[in-house]
Amino acid sequence: MKKEWLVYLGILIVSLILFFVVTEPITFSPTVSFIIIGLILLAIVYIFVRTIQGNYVGRQTVFLFVGISVILPFFMTITQPIKLSPEVGSLYTALGELQPGSKVLISFDYDPPSAPELQPMAETFFYYCFKNDLKVLIMGLWPQGPQQADLAIQKALEQPDIAAKNIEYGVDYINLGFQAGNEFVIQRMGSSFKSMFPTDFYGTPYDSLPLVDGISNFSNIDFSMNLSAGYPGTIEWVQVAVDRYGVKLGAGNTAVQAPQVYPYLNSGQIKGLLGGLNGAAEFEKVVGVIGKGTKFMVSQSAAHVIVIAFIIIGNAAFFLGDKRKKSKAAEKKEA
Amino acid sequence: MEMSELIGIWLGAFLTLGIISFLYGDNPWYKLCEAIFVGSSAGYWFITLFWDNIYSKFYVGVTQDGNYMLLVGGVLGFLMLMRLISKIGWISRWPLAFVVGAIAGFYLINYFSSNVMYQVNATIMPLFGSGYGDPIFSASFGNVINKIIIAGGTFTGLVYFFFSKEHKGAFGATAKVGIWVIMLTFGASFGYTVMSRMSLLIGRMDFIFGDWLGLIK
């Protein structure tokens, strides 16, 4: 039997054991957690020493350590302090200026692959809106965006204080669905929402929805939020909705996209920015929710520590290897 | 948990582990998962674009709403397909020219306004004032430093990309500062990219150990 098939079989057996035998969630106590962290750090130091001695590790070892650093914090009870950054603070301030009953438009411009970063932002944003009696209009320039919105709405509605409010579809929030056309959809919405969304996500005619009574274009919207993972996304919203129609815009982006959006924050074209998982965690903190953004931050930080450690180890290997090559070449020359 | 949901989760776990198995090395399991991903993505996009554009916008727009202007777009779209016939393939250049012209015109205004005018405005701010029209010395010390870094970084970065003069002397030194600024920007972008990729891995691991195996609270 080939080696790889043995690996598949091993994965299958371990998975089945975990699925059928371990039926309760696993949680490490803080003491066990710190012992594990200590052991991982010792292993890193050992790899560093071995590297200096000229014994280099393979890439699989790096993957293994990154995997461990991501997975183990799920089972640990330790938390990480989260500091509020100015970009998240300014978004929260801008939202705080909205009066109850204000109309908020949120565009879901992402799909499931970007959900780990953007979904916690969406859930917290809905929670904030419902808690503060803001009326929410949902749309998407990505086909799967409105479905992501529905998932986030369900999570927000599960919160006890929101469930007590009897939030009603059509009155407190609506999902207008997806519309193809990228930035041209935003352009058309500047004159008429109805022309782009004649029905909502479920086929109800636009005019039959009580929430949109009196909403014809961007001038009737008090604040817009864009959750984006690429094109079309925040940049297009800034270019069309903000700069042409004067919409107040907040943005939540994947970390990859955040550096491209920062200039718009500096120029005041967007009111605030949630960048990646870190932004999601900060937003959860300021709103007062403990969601996946906060929970995942320990894994995120642990993975970053491991990446930095292996960058140092990799550089040590590179420079020492170079030195060794030179000394070997000098020895050969002498011989 | 419903059976359909359970099957979905097991299928998701099978495909996730298959894709991750590439870290060990290229293998048939990974290839199978990759082929499923490519095929299902292509199918999904084809169906989505067909129903959202050709059916909902074009067909319904023309036949039910009587919006005959859409026929112009429809004809242009049809002409685009002419490239499949080599003898009359040149016809496809007409709709392409229309698209390029229209998009270029649209983007010219957007980018000039949002990415040039607003950004220039935000780069050259009053040094000691909080903003335009604010009293002098109203900016904090950190704010002043920020403005110097932004204006200086932009200037030196632009100098680096000025190749009509040899990068020597004071000009060369400024260009060197510019390349450092650019490298720092790339470093920040790389850091954010690492963060993003880690987030995706965290999301998948949460699915494996939480939704699938039920080991996380």
Side-chain angles (χ1 to χ4, degrees):
Chain A
M1 192 185 277
K2 274 186 177 179
K3 194 181 164 190
E4 60 192 34
W5 288 105
L6 284 173
V7 174
Y8 301 156
L9 196 67
I11 292 171
L12 183 72
I13 290 167
V14 170
S15 304
L16 288 173
I17 289 170
L18 288 172
F19 189 79
F20 289 108
V21 178
V22 188
T23 50
E24 290 293 315
I26 300 169
T27 310
F28 300 151
S29 69
T31 316
V32 174
S33 304
F34 284 117
I35 289 170
I36 290 170
I37 292 167
L39 288 173
I40 292 170
L41 291 177
L42 275 176
I44 293 284
V45 172
Y46 175 72
I47 290 171
F48 183 68
V49 173
R50 294 271 297 163
T51 304
I52 290 172
Q53 288 170 347
N55 301 305
Y56 303 144
V57 293
R59 63 194 180 105
Q60 277 85 356
T61 310
V62 181
F63 298 148
L64 180 72
F65 271 85
V66 170
I68 286 171
S69 67
V70 164
I71 295 163
L72 287 180
F74 289 152
F75 307 107
M76 295 178 179
T77 45
I78 53 173
T79 52
Q80 179 189 332
I82 293 160
K83 199 180 161 196
L84 192 66
S85 60
E87 50 269 32
V88 178
S90 61
L91 177 69
Y92 187 71
T93 307
L95 287 172
E97 288 166 5
L98 299 172
Q99 298 298 316
S102 297
K103 310 284 192 301
V104 175
L105 174 73
I106 175 165
S107 183
F108 278 72
D109 302 338
Y110 66 94
D111 53 7
S114 307
E117 287 180 280
L118 299 175
Q119 203 68 6
M121 296 177 194
E123 289 165 10
T124 314
F125 189 80
F126 283 135
Y127 174 83
Y128 179 91
C129 291
F130 294 146
K131 193 181 172 191
N132 292 283
D133 302 318
L134 305 176
K135 306 292 180 189
V136 183
L137 290 89
I138 300 158
M139 58 167 283
L141 297 178
W142 288 39
Q144 289 144 320
Q147 293 162 29
Q148 293 299 131
D150 269 357
L151 292 172
I153 287 265
Q154 280 170 22
K155 283 271 180 191
L157 294 178
E158 281 170 13
Q159 299 278 353
D161 48 342
I162 303 300
K165 284 189 170 236
N166 292 321
I167 301 293
E168 205 179 321
Y169 183 82
V171 178
D172 299 298
Y173 72 98
I174 52 162
N175 190 343
L176 293 170
F178 159 71
Q179 182 57 270
N182 305 332
E183 57 267 54
F184 298 100
V185 174
I186 311 171
Q187 174 77 24
R188 285 293 302 277
M189 285 172 73
S191 51
S192 166
F193 278 21
K194 194 183 163 185
S195 64
M196 285 290 95
F197 298 101
T199 62
D200 73 353
F201 192 42
Y202 311 103
T204 312
Y206 185 86
D207 292 328
S208 308
L209 298 158
L211 178 59
V212 292
D213 188 25
I215 297 178
S216 56
N217 54 40
F218 285 130
S219 61
N220 310 115
I221 295 293
D222 299 295
F223 191 83
S224 282
M225 182 74 185
N226 174 245
L227 298 175
S228 148
Y231 172 81
T234 303
I235 294 171
E236 287 66 39
W237 275 93
V238 169
Q239 288 176 345
V240 183
V242 175
D243 294 343
R244 288 196 182 191
Y245 297 107
V247 169
K248 281 185 188 171
L249 183 74
N253 296 105
T254 53
V256 169
Q257 209 194 2
Q260 297 166 32
V261 178
Y262 265 98
Y264 299 119
L265 184 71
N266 182 51
S267 61
Q269 286 163 287
I270 55 173
K271 300 297 168 198
L273 172 66
L274 310 176
L277 202 55
N278 193 29
E282 287 177 35
F283 193 50
E284 283 174 3
K285 184 193 161 96
V286 74
V287 171
V289 183
I290 295 177
K292 285 201 165 174
T294 310
K295 285 177 189 167
F296 289 165
M297 273 315 288
V298 183
S299 292
Q300 181 83 270
S301 301
H304 283 203
V305 169
I306 294 293
V307 169
I308 291 166
F310 274 104
I311 286 173
I312 293 167
I313 291 168
N315 276 282
F318 176 77
F319 287 112
L320 290 173
D322 199 40
K323 209 176 165 185
R324 280 202 187 92
K325 266 184 199 168
K326 277 179 185 168
S327 61
K328 268 187 186 173
E331 276 171 21
K332 262 189 183 176
K333 232 183 182 181
E334 278 175 19
Chain B
M1 192 183 286
E2 285 177 22
M3 185 51 82
S4 60
E5 199 181 339
L6 193 69
I7 291 169
I9 286 174
W10 272 84
L11 190 63
F14 172 80
L15 295 172
T16 302
L17 290 175
I19 293 293
I20 290 173
S21 72
F22 186 73
L23 296 176
Y24 179 74
D26 201 3
N27 62 75
W29 188 9
Y30 169 77
K31 281 194 174 118
L32 173 73
C33 297
E34 189 188 36
I36 291 171
F37 175 73
V38 172
S40 57
S41 293
Y44 179 83
W45 276 104
F46 180 81
I47 292 298
T48 301
L49 293 176
F50 177 81
W51 286 107
D52 285 321
N53 286 298
I54 296 174
Y55 179 79
S56 298
K57 278 191 174 165
F58 180 68
Y59 180 74
V60 173
V62 172
T63 57
Q64 291 177 26
D65 304 337
N67 187 357
Y68 296 110
M69 278 296 285
L70 291 171
L71 285 171
V72 178
V75 170
L76 287 172
F78 181 74
L79 291 180
M80 198 83 98
L81 297 174
M82 291 300 114
R83 67 188 315 167
L84 298 173
I85 307 163
S86 55
K87 275 187 182 175
I88 51 168
W90 56 271
I91 296 176
S92 67
R93 289 180 199 157
W94 293 352
L96 205 61
F98 177 82
V99 169
V100 169
I103 297 283
F106 186 76
Y107 278 14
L108 182 74
I109 303 298
N110 283 354
Y111 276 89
F112 190 73
S113 164
S114 304
N115 291 24
V116 179
M117 297 310 288
Y118 275 99
Q119 295 307 319
V120 168
N121 188 44
T123 304
I124 313 166
M125 295 290 283
L127 186 59
F128 297 110
S130 300
Y132 292 106
D134 289 335
I136 195 164
F137 301 123
S138 58
S140 65
F141 178 70
N143 201 329
V144 173
I145 297 293
N146 267 347
K147 285 171 189 171
I148 292 170
I149 291 171
I150 289 171
T154 307
F155 177 72
T156 54
L158 287 171
V159 166
Y160 175 74
F161 284 105
F162 189 79
F163 298 116
S164 301
K165 186 173 159 47
E166 199 177 349
H167 288 185
K168 269 185 174 178
F171 189 77
T174 312
K176 203 162 251 178
V177 175
I179 192 71
W180 272 97
V181 171
I182 292 165
M183 287 301 158
L184 284 170
T185 311
F186 288 158
S189 276
F190 175 71
Y192 265 109
T193 306
V194 170
M195 185 161 113
S196 203
R197 300 302 174 235
M198 287 304 160
S199 305
L200 300 188
L201 179 64
I202 291 167
R204 281 294 82 195
M205 290 301 112
D206 180 52
F207 169 76
I208 293 285
F209 288 92
D211 297 338
W212 183 41
L213 297 173
L215 300 178
I216 306 171
K217 237 181 202 176

